[in-house]
Amino acid sequence: MTAAVLRALHHGLDLPLVLPGPWDAASAQVFADAGFPALATPSAGVAASLGYEDGATPPDEMFAAVRRIVRAVGIPVSADVEAGYGLSARELVGRLADAGAVGCNLEDADHATGTLRDAHQQADWLAEVRAEAGDALVINARIDTYLCGVPDRDETVRRGRLYAEAGADCVYPILAPPPLLADLASAIGLPVNAVVTPDGPAPRELGTLGAARVTFGPGLQQRAMAALTGMAERLREELGGG
């Protein structure tokens, strides 16, 4: 599947575009069989499935996981590749292409320190990725202001506009208050990605509030693991406990 297909889905009439987050090939097949038009891998969900903490997955293992997910389905897959793992734009784009991903998340915070990267440096990085990829990659530029304790609407818009100028296809102001989504989309001028949280609005409501794209982070993987934990506990009870 091509990036053009994924890009067009961000502007369809049936918004929001809901992208489940598969963590392995089997979960990807489940979501594809359910009729979703595209998928977006969550780095935290993939990390958990591989036995790592969020942000600690070795790049080789992350790209290998994305490759297995892409191979398992016949729909577009966007990959969360965190802050790019320190790769050059050329190497990052090449590895995404090798894995078969036609989209990516790139965040503007440092996992290790929890601090925001300089917005102009991030915009320059995104521009390099766009130049290397051309139209072959849908870039979802994550804005971590609210995640990093900078709940500033104007700073979020400033970053979003810089990333739009750099060639991003959409922006992802993660954890921004849902009532602000329409304002952010209008001020930045790009489709906005919103994340479903346990106590927040459902996907359809997020669309009503202004999200063109809805993802789940590691939420679906966590719910699946909770269900598996319940199954394991019941099995132990049937076997007589310890």
Side-chain angles (χ1 to χ4, degrees), residues 112-149:
T113 64
T115 58
L116 292 166
R117 186 179 187 190
D118 178 82
H120 288 281
Q121 291 180 354
Q122 181 70 2
D124 289 345
W125 158 246
L126 292 173
E128 291 177 14
V129 175
R130 172 56 70 211
E132 288 292 337
D135 292 333
L137 193 66
V138 174
I139 299 175
N140 188 32
R142 206 176 88 175
I143 306 171
D144 286 1
T145 44
Y146 289 89
L147 182 67
C148 291

Side-chain angles (χ1 to χ4, degrees), residues 87-97 125 128-129 131-133:
L87 301 172
S88 69
R90 175 169 294 182
E91 187 172 5
L92 176 65
V93 170
R95 297 196 71 169
L96 285 165
W125 158 246
E128 291 177 14
V129 175
E132 288 292 337

